[in-house]
Amino acid sequence: MLKNLKDRYSCSFYRIYPWQNAIETEFLFFAVCDVMFLHSVKNISFAQISFLIFFSLLFSLIVQYPLLKCIHRMGNRNSVRAGSLFFLLSALCITFAPNYGIIVVGGILKCIGHTFNSLGAALLKEKLVQDGKGTEYVNFQSDANNAVCLLMMISSFACGFLYSLNPYYPMFGCITICALGVILSFLMTSCIEADGANVKSVPKSSEKQARSWGGIPILVSFAVMTAITGIGLSYARINFQEVLTLQYDGTEVMSQLGYVTFLVFLFRFLSNVLMSKFFVRFKRWICVRLQILLVVSLVLQILPWVYPPTMAILALMAIGYLVMVFVRDPYITAIQNDSLMTADKTKRQNNLILLNVSKKAGALLLSAVCTLILRETSILPVMTSMITFAVVSLILLAVTLPRCASSSRAASPLRDIR
């Protein structure tokens, strides 16, 4: 096993990519204390924080087309470098902002950075193709996802201690990590040959077959799945917390949530370790199985509202919450792998940007729907709504994939969407 790992990461690009990807996926430290820092240190109200999230997502969706044009001109390497620079600028704006307007600018820069950073997956695929390892994307990306889990776990443990010393210390850590991300981005991209090298044109037969994939249902399913397992986790956490408050006092609730938070990172790590084994067996059908698991996990979330919340029911509810975490990374990796199965670099860029757009649109719409529901009623209708969305997503995917069975393995389900 150690020999296999040594062979896999003999190239410096593959050694750098997991850590660069981990740094550029989310703000380390700030992701843990974002609300507390903005509210307590910057004196930003919860309503302003909510608007910041909404407006940043909305703005990034509006500018996706200009950004895509920019990415086409810049190429994957320069886009990844730009993404790391935008991340660093965003961290600086948020940390040293003298007013709310600069914080909003920081939020916008972060979303733009996310768009550019999404091209890291295309860069990985490009390098794998150059090295004759084009079919090993899932293995390498799963390792990169585990690097994210590891760094998030470390920053989560360290953030509370640093914040207690000085509320700005976690942000200084965030800036330092982002600066390191810039360095790693330039080192990593220097390992890639010039754009256009070793790229073959896509056979016309593949172009014809790709049109039978029906990419819009897959995009909708992707948007729903990532929204529920992303921003939807916040609502599942609220649901979990409300149920626990019926049984325990505040101190015990925080203790229970602490245990669950630790298990969240553990389950994410395990899901990425197991991903390569599952993918070899199920291929693209793994997405349907993960969707089924998501529906089951959401049903488990509402058990305490249907039956008396005994210890067994609470345990099932906790398992459901952890399964929501478990399915996210493998699902995204599988869909990304499918979207990158084309020799056309421009289409790879388009596909990844489309996935990024659908992810943000799904998060925006789910957040809006859940916010409106919570204004009128309780958390239970929010959870039942997410179950409905998950079932619809499962149906879309289950109906679409059989139509793709006769398509070429080199075709992408997203490549001909405009």
Side-chain angles (χ1 to χ4, degrees):
M1 180 178 177
L2 291 177
K3 185 178 184 301
N4 290 337
L5 287 175
K6 185 177 180 180
D7 292 340
R8 181 187 297 180
Y9 292 101
S10 58
C11 174
S12 58
F13 173 90
Y14 300 124
R15 291 195 298 271
I16 296 173
Y17 177 78
W19 306 110
Q20 187 274 342
N21 178 78
I23 291 173
E24 304 299 341
T25 296
E26 186 53 84
F27 276 156
L28 297 175
F29 296 103
F30 181 67
V32 181
C33 66
D34 51 357
V35 173
M36 186 173 294
F37 177 81
L38 292 175
H39 182 66
S40 302
V41 179
K42 294 298 183 180
N43 297 316
I44 304 300
S45 68
F46 291 125
Q48 288 176 311
I49 294 173
S50 179
F51 176 78
L52 171 65
I53 297 170
F54 175 83
F55 182 77
S56 298
L57 283 171
L58 182 62
F59 180 86
S60 65
L61 286 173
I62 293 173
V63 299
Q64 285 299 305
Y65 183 75
L67 287 179
L68 182 58
K69 290 294 184 182
C70 183
I71 286 169
H72 285 167
R73 289 179 176 272
M74 294 171 60
N76 294 336
R77 293 189 301 167
N78 290 329
S79 296
V80 170
R81 292 171 178 175
S84 64
L85 289 170
F86 276 117
F87 247 43
L88 176 59
L89 289 174
S90 174
L92 290 169
C93 284
I94 293 173
T95 302
F96 300 108
N99 53 57
Y100 182 64
I102 302 300
I103 292 177
V104 172
V105 171
I108 292 172
L109 291 174
K110 181 185 176 186
C111 286
I112 294 175
H114 267 303
T115 300
F116 282 111
N117 288 334
S118 67
L119 273 298
L123 208 59
L124 172 61
K125 183 69 174 184
E126 182 179 338
K127 179 62 176 173
L128 289 170
V129 170
Q130 287 179 1
D131 294 343
K133 303 178 181 179
T135 60
E136 297 184 33
Y137 172 81
V138 169
N139 294 331
F140 282 92
Q141 187 58 47
S142 295
D143 289 346
N145 291 338
N146 275 336
V148 176
C149 296
L150 179 61
L151 291 188
M152 284 297 296
M153 189 180 297
I154 294 173
S155 67
S156 297
F157 288 145
C159 187
F161 172 73
L162 292 174
Y163 192 90
S164 65
L165 295 177
N166 188 310
Y168 276 92
Y169 283 177
M171 297 307 301
F172 294 157
C174 178
I175 292 172
T176 302
I177 294 296
C178 287
L180 177 61
V182 173
I183 296 172
L184 291 180
S185 295
F186 278 81
L187 289 175
M188 181 185 73
T189 52
S190 66
C191 301
I192 299 288
E193 294 181 18
D195 288 347
N198 299 329
V199 178
K200 301 177 182 179
S201 60
V202 184
K204 292 183 179 180
S205 59
S206 296
E207 292 281 356
K208 188 173 182 179
Q209 289 171 337
R211 290 184 174 87
S212 66
W213 272 82
I216 289 193
I218 291 179
L219 280 176
V220 173
S221 178
F222 183 81
V224 173
M225 178 74 164
T226 54
I228 292 176
T229 58
I231 197 168
L233 280 174
S234 299
Y235 297 104
R237 184 181 177 89
I238 293 173
N239 178 65
F240 194 21
Q241 186 170 323
E242 285 208 14
V243 172
L244 289 178
T245 55
L246 299 176
Q247 303 293 316
Y248 306 104
D249 59 24
T251 302
E252 185 65 23
V253 168
M254 287 303 299
S255 177
Q256 297 290 338
L257 290 176
Y259 297 142
V260 172
T261 301
F262 173 79
L263 290 174
V264 161
F265 291 111
L266 179 61
F267 266 60
R268 281 191 64 183
F269 187 89
L270 290 175
S271 71
N272 289 300
V273 170
L274 296 173
M275 173 59 180
S276 57
K277 301 182 185 300
F278 290 154
F279 188 77
V280 169
R281 181 175 179 182
F282 299 118
K283 299 299 181 183
R284 64 169 62 96
W285 287 99
I286 192 175
C287 296
V288 173
R289 287 163 171 79
L290 292 171
Q291 289 267 18
I292 293 172
L293 282 177
L294 177 63
V295 173
V296 173
S297 70
L298 288 168
V299 171
L300 293 177
Q301 298 297 294
I302 65 172
L303 284 182
W305 303 109
V306 180
Y307 300 99
T310 61
M311 288 300 297
I313 295 294
L314 291 177
L316 288 173
M317 182 184 182
I319 290 171
Y321 181 80
L322 294 173
V323 170
M324 289 179 66
V325 176
F326 182 88
V327 301
R328 179 177 173 84
D329 285 348
Y331 179 86
I332 293 176
T333 300
I335 294 294
Q336 282 182 340
N337 178 69
D338 231 19
S339 73
L340 291 169
M341 292 179 69
T342 169
D344 190 320
K345 291 170 62 176
T346 299
K347 291 191 182 298
R348 288 180 196 164
Q349 293 173 340
N350 292 346
N351 293 344
L352 289 173
I353 297 302
L354 281 170
L355 290 178
N356 191 53
V357 169
S358 64
K359 183 190 295 186
K360 291 181 178 181
L364 192 66
L365 291 175
L366 181 64
S367 176
V369 169
C370 293
T371 299
L372 290 175
I373 292 174
L374 283 176
R375 288 183 62 181
E376 302 297 331
T377 181
S378 64
I379 191 66
L380 180 58
V382 170
M383 301 306 298
T384 54
S385 296
M386 286 202 290
I387 293 174
T388 303
F389 294 147
V391 171
V392 171
S393 175
L394 172 61
I395 293 172
L396 283 173
L397 198 63
V399 169
T400 303
L401 283 182
R403 299 176 184 175
C404 308
S406 60
S407 296
S408 170
R409 289 179 181 272
S412 165
L414 309 176
R415 61 190 299 171
D416 287 308
I417 297 176
R418 296 290 182 264

